[in-house]
């Protein structure tokens, strides 16, 4: 999938991804560049949500970016 996107989408273009918050009914869109997606999701315990969206117990915001938050399931060290 990432190889296909790399051939079609310019590196600097924002791509809308579904918010990965704990609300199963959320249809919010998190816009990011493909490099950001790969960097964040390279760690299987990290994902992105829209600011102030619902998190499950044990999840923590590890980074706030201008358009979204990066959340981790792992314990904060």
């Amino acid at each position: 999938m990432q190889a296909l996107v790399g051939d079609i989408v310019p590196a600097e273009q924002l791509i809308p991804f579904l918010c990965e918050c704990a609300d199963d009914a959320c249809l919010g869109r998190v816009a990011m560049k493909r490099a950001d997606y790969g960097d964040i999701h390279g760690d299987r315990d990290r994902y992105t949500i829209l600011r102030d969206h619902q998190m499950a117990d044990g999840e923590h915001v590890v980074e706030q970016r201008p358009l979204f938050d990066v959340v981790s399931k792992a314990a904060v060290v």
Side-chain angles (χ1 to χ4, degrees):
M1 175 75 151
Q2 287 182 350
L4 178 62
V5 170
D7 291 340
I8 298 171
V9 179
E12 295 303 310
Q13 182 174 331
L14 293 178
I15 303 167
F17 295 93
L18 283 175
C19 179
E20 299 172 296
C21 72
D23 180 356
D24 291 336
C26 178
L27 295 176
R29 300 289 192 272
V30 176
M32 70 185 85
K33 297 174 187 172
R34 69 177 192 234
D36 292 331
Y37 182 91
D39 178 50
I40 293 164
H41 289 87
D43 181 336
R44 301 188 83 175
D45 289 327
R46 292 191 177 196
Y47 51 95
T48 56
I49 65 171
L50 293 170
R51 179 112 345 108
D52 297 325
H53 273 223
Q54 184 177 349
M55 291 186 291
D57 289 340
E59 297 175 339
H60 301 77
V61 173
V62 294
E63 183 180 351
Q64 288 188 320
R65 296 196 182 185
L67 299 175
F68 56 86
D69 290 341
V70 180
V71 176
S72 178
K73 297 178 197 176
V76 175
V77 181

